Structures are given as C-alpha cells and as structure tokens.
Amino acid sequence: MFSIQSKIIPTACRLLATSLLGLTAAGALAQTTGGAALVPIQIGVIAPLSGPSADFGVPMLNGVKLAVDEINAAGGFLGRKLELVVKDDGANPDQGRKASEELAAQKITAVIGFCNTGVAAKSLEVFQNSKIPLIIPCATGTQLTAKYPAPDSYIFRTSAKDAVQSSFVVDDIFKRGWTKVAVFADSTAYGESGLKDVTAALASHGLKPVHVARFPIGVKDVTAELKAARDAGANAVFSYSLGPESVAIALGRKELGWKVPQVGAWALSFPAYVNVAKEAAEDTLMAQTFIVEQRGNERRTAFLNGYMAKYKLKSVPASIPAAQAYDSTYLLLYSLFGVRSASLDGPAIKASLENLKKVYYGAVATYDHPFSASDKDAFTANMLLLGMVKGGVVTYAYPADIKRNVFAQRKQ
C-alpha cells in the first residue's frame, strides 16, 4: 500500500484495537489468548469467479482481499489474522447453495457474498438457520433482505437494493418528461425483482409501462420487442439485466435508428455493457453508488490507488462491487471489535452489526449506524448518484454531483 491509504488504514486499525469501542481489557485478552498461537478468524467469501458474472464477481473478491491485506498488515483483529475461505458460485444457484452449506459446516465466523440475486436467494436459509451473519456487497434483489423479519435476520447488505435504485431512476426520468417507459427485463430472479420494482416506481407517479419485454439471459436479438415498444410510443427504455442482454437492447436501438434513452440500475455501468455496446451505450443513464473519477474525496482516491497498485491496473473495472465489498469487510471488522464477550459467535456479531459504535468512513459512503435491528440495508436513496456513459466511460450525469461526491453521503 502507499499514498494516503498507507497512513489511514494502520492508524484506524490500531485505534479500533483500543478501548474506543468499549472493549474491556479482560475481554480483549480473552479474545487474543488461550494458546501459544493465535487462531486466525475465518471469513467466507462467495462470488461468481467463473461463468457469466465473473466480470463483477472477481472485482468483488478483490475488494475483500485488499481490505483483508490492509487489516492483517496492521495486526488483524487484536493480533489474530483474518483468513479468507473463498468459494466460486459460478452464478449458479445450486453451486452457490453447495458452497454455502460447505461454509456453514466449517462453522465460518461470517460470510461476505453473492452478486446474483437468484444465487443468493437459494442460500439465505443456510446462513439464517446456522446463525452466521451474511453481508451482501453486490446482489440487489429487494427480496433478499426482506425474506426474514428484520429483528431476527442474519442477512445484511451494503449494495443499494433494486427498490431504491428503481425509484431513484424513475424519479429522475419523470422530471425529464420521459413518462412513456418500456421495461426490458431478463427472466432471472434479478430481472423479475427489477421489473416489479420499476413497475411500482412508475405507479407512484400514476404511470404504467407502455410495454414489457421478457427474455432469457444470453439473448442476442430483441428487435421484435424493440419494435413493439416503439409502436407503443415509448420515449425511454428501462433495461434490467446484467450486461450482455442490455447490449442487445442498445445495439438493437441503434440498428433501428430509434433514438430513445436507455436507463436502468447499476449494472449498466459494467464493462460488459459499456465496453461492448460502445457508441450504442452513449448517454445511457443509471443509478450509481460509486463513480470512478479522481474528483472524489481522499478515502475514495486512496481505495482506487490501493486497488490499482495491488492488482497492477490502470483503472478499476466494475468498481462498485469492488468498493462495496471493501467497505463490507471493514464493517465486519468493526463489528468484531464491538463484541463484548470472548466468543465471536453469530448472534454476538449480528447484534454488533446492528449497533456499530463507531462511524466507518468508507470508500463508498460514511457508515453511521448503517444497520439496525429493524433495517438490514445500508443504502438509502440520498446516497445514490446518477451516472451517464460519455465517451465510453461512466461519469456524473449532473455536474453538481461532482462537488457533492466530495462529501461521502450518510444513510437517512
């Protein structure tokens, strides 16, 4: 590590290891002794490291690794190293379920995981029943944090759920006068959830989609559906898919010469869309939690510098899952320091996450009580930015957000 990060992170970790979080000396001693060698704390990570979603699953894992390396370099958790147990779910629900069961059988301390809504949905009960805290840094399906009553739930999330993203984008396009919206959603759980949330967001403005198109993942040609949307009078296309399918929509619009805006959730910022659709992606609008530009605050700049140095990159593709996973790892660390007993068990970590004593100044946001017993989602609409594709990169849709983004937003 270097630059700002090399000074900030070790200092933060040392401060956390003191009584600032209210740990008693006896409690700290109990957590760090009891044998000649300190036992590492095992943290599970589940992500699509192969298959169609690897382009954002790998950055998610890399964000966790970067944070763990920093934490361990600064002494870990009271002298105990964090040790990752990594599983590849391949964007496959059954493979993800098997990986989750393996981690639960291993009695892992906590898990950071999932990029795909459908994969996560099939595994939630494994963690809930095992009382293992799960922090989701990537998957956005609204239903994931709603499956269990909030006070009992072990499912936490640091990505902006689809209901928040959809409302945010619909509110914006309504102000622009784009009130005849066609919704194109893939047939996965992600697409199903997104369609439901976009429809609800439109209904809040007294609107209905003028056309709804559903399609399987991997589709290459949606010309017929685009023509139907055009004939229905659509003046905006809201696409809900993870990249390649949205490319088909963008290229189809270009081929038809149909110059209507394409809008959507954060997935429209992924390289699988922007870099492949190229000119057809120009002016696309999407919800964002993190925009890669060096005009942010020093915490974001330090994260980007650290990430690029560690992985020898000149830019950070799929920066949102990387940054959110990075922050999730530190939030988990903060929760460990908040446990007041010698046992770092699931219920104790869950209770600590719900009542974090210290504010974490992260790469994506300022986390001031991001979770509670009644709310397991860390993001609210005020924390979102509207991104726009310009010249093949995602930038700010509104110049005013450049200045606003210097100050990391807090949950409302």
Side-chain angles (χ1 to χ4, degrees):
M1 293 304 300
F2 64 99
S3 187
I4 300 168
Q5 197 82 334
S6 63
K7 297 178 181 179
I8 293 176
I9 299 303
T11 301
C13 288
R14 283 196 297 270
L15 288 174
L16 281 172
T18 69
S19 60
L20 289 178
L21 284 176
L23 282 172
T24 64
L29 185 63
Q31 292 179 29
T32 57
T33 61
L38 298 178
V39 179
I41 297 172
Q42 291 191 322
I43 307 299
V45 181
I46 303 180
L49 307 178
S50 61
S53 297
D55 61 331
F56 53 105
V58 171
M60 190 207 100
L61 173 61
N62 287 345
V64 175
K65 285 182 174 179
L66 175 61
V68 166
D69 284 354
E70 292 172 353
I71 291 164
N72 286 340
F77 171 68
L78 299 173
R80 298 174 65 182
K81 299 291 186 181
L82 301 188
E83 181 180 272
L84 297 180
V85 181
V86 179
K87 300 288 185 179
D88 177 12
D89 64 38
N92 181 288
D94 292 328
Q95 188 173 329
R97 174 72 180 228
K98 183 175 182 290
S100 299
E101 290 171 344
E102 290 171 350
L103 290 176
Q106 194 171 334
K107 299 188 183 302
I108 213 83
T109 299
V111 173
I112 298 170
F114 299 111
C115 283
N116 303 91
T117 293
V119 180
K122 190 157 188 176
S123 292
L124 295 184
E125 66 177 351
V126 174
F127 302 105
Q128 184 69 18
N129 294 342
S130 301
K131 297 184 177 180
I132 296 173
L134 169 68
I135 301 179
I136 301 173
C138 193
T140 56
T142 300
Q143 69 270 33
L144 297 180
T145 46
K147 182 171 182 177
Y148 303 105
D152 303 323
S153 180
Y154 281 76
I155 314 303
F156 298 80
R157 175 162 47 193
T158 56
S159 56
K161 65 184 179 181
D162 288 330
V164 171
Q165 293 191 59
S166 296
S167 292
F168 176 79
V169 174
V170 167
D171 287 350
D172 183 82
I173 64 176
F174 182 80
K175 293 175 184 176
R176 295 169 183 259
W178 303 340
T179 57
K180 296 181 179 180
V181 182
V183 183
F184 280 59
D186 68 36
S187 57
T188 67
Y190 174 69
E192 184 69 30
S193 173
L195 173 59
K196 181 179 178 181
D197 289 328
V198 173
T199 301
L202 288 170
S204 72
H205 292 283
L207 304 173
K208 292 182 179 180
V210 297
H211 180 75
V212 173
R214 303 302 305 276
F215 46 85
I217 55 174
V219 67
K220 301 295 184 182
D221 187 349
V222 292
T223 302
E225 291 286 8
L226 286 168
K227 287 180 177 178
R230 183 185 61 184
D231 293 345
N235 57 14
V237 174
F238 202 123
S239 61
Y240 239 101
S241 195
L242 290 178
E245 298 77 29
S246 290
V247 170
I249 297 169
L251 294 179
R253 287 190 300 104
K254 182 180 179 182
E255 183 68 21
L256 290 173
W258 188 30
K259 297 182 179 181
V260 295
Q262 189 164 335
V263 303
W266 69 309
L268 289 179
S269 67
F270 290 178
Y273 172 71
V274 177
N275 295 348
V276 179
K278 299 185 183 299
E279 293 85 359
E282 196 74 359
D283 295 327
T284 296
L285 298 173
M286 78 294 291
Q288 296 282 271
T289 60
F290 186 91
I291 292 177
V292 180
E293 287 198 26
Q294 294 300 318
R295 289 177 282 186
N297 62 43
E298 67 177 17
R299 288 174 270 152
R300 295 186 180 117
T301 301
F303 161 74
L304 293 169
N305 287 345
Y307 191 97
M308 290 186 288
K310 179 175 175 61
Y311 299 109
K312 297 179 174 57
L313 299 170
K314 293 183 178 180
S315 63
V316 184
S319 61
I320 292 178
Q324 289 173 175
Y326 176 88
D327 282 355
S328 297
T329 308
Y330 272 101
L331 287 173
L332 178 58
L333 176 70
Y334 273 47
S335 74
L336 297 181
F337 279 107
V339 174
R340 307 240 178 174
S341 67
S343 175
L344 294 177
D345 60 19
I349 295 172
K350 170 183 177 294
S352 183
L353 280 168
E354 293 169 349
N355 190 31
L356 291 177
K357 300 297 184 183
K358 298 295 292 184
V359 175
Y360 168 53
Y361 298 94
V364 179
T366 296
Y367 300 89
D368 186 359
H369 293 94
F371 309 115
S372 69
S374 60
D375 186 1
K376 297 302 195 291
D377 280 290
F379 265 81
T380 46
N382 69 293
M383 301 165 76
L384 292 175
L385 300 162
L386 192 70
M388 172 181 277
V389 179
K390 279 292 183 186
V393 298
V394 176
T395 186
Y396 300 91
Y398 293 111
D401 281 344
I402 297 174
K403 182 181 293 186
R404 173 174 170 261
N405 198 33
V406 172
F407 304 97
Q409 300 300 302
R410 298 176 184 234
K411 181 177 180 178
Q412 288 184 351

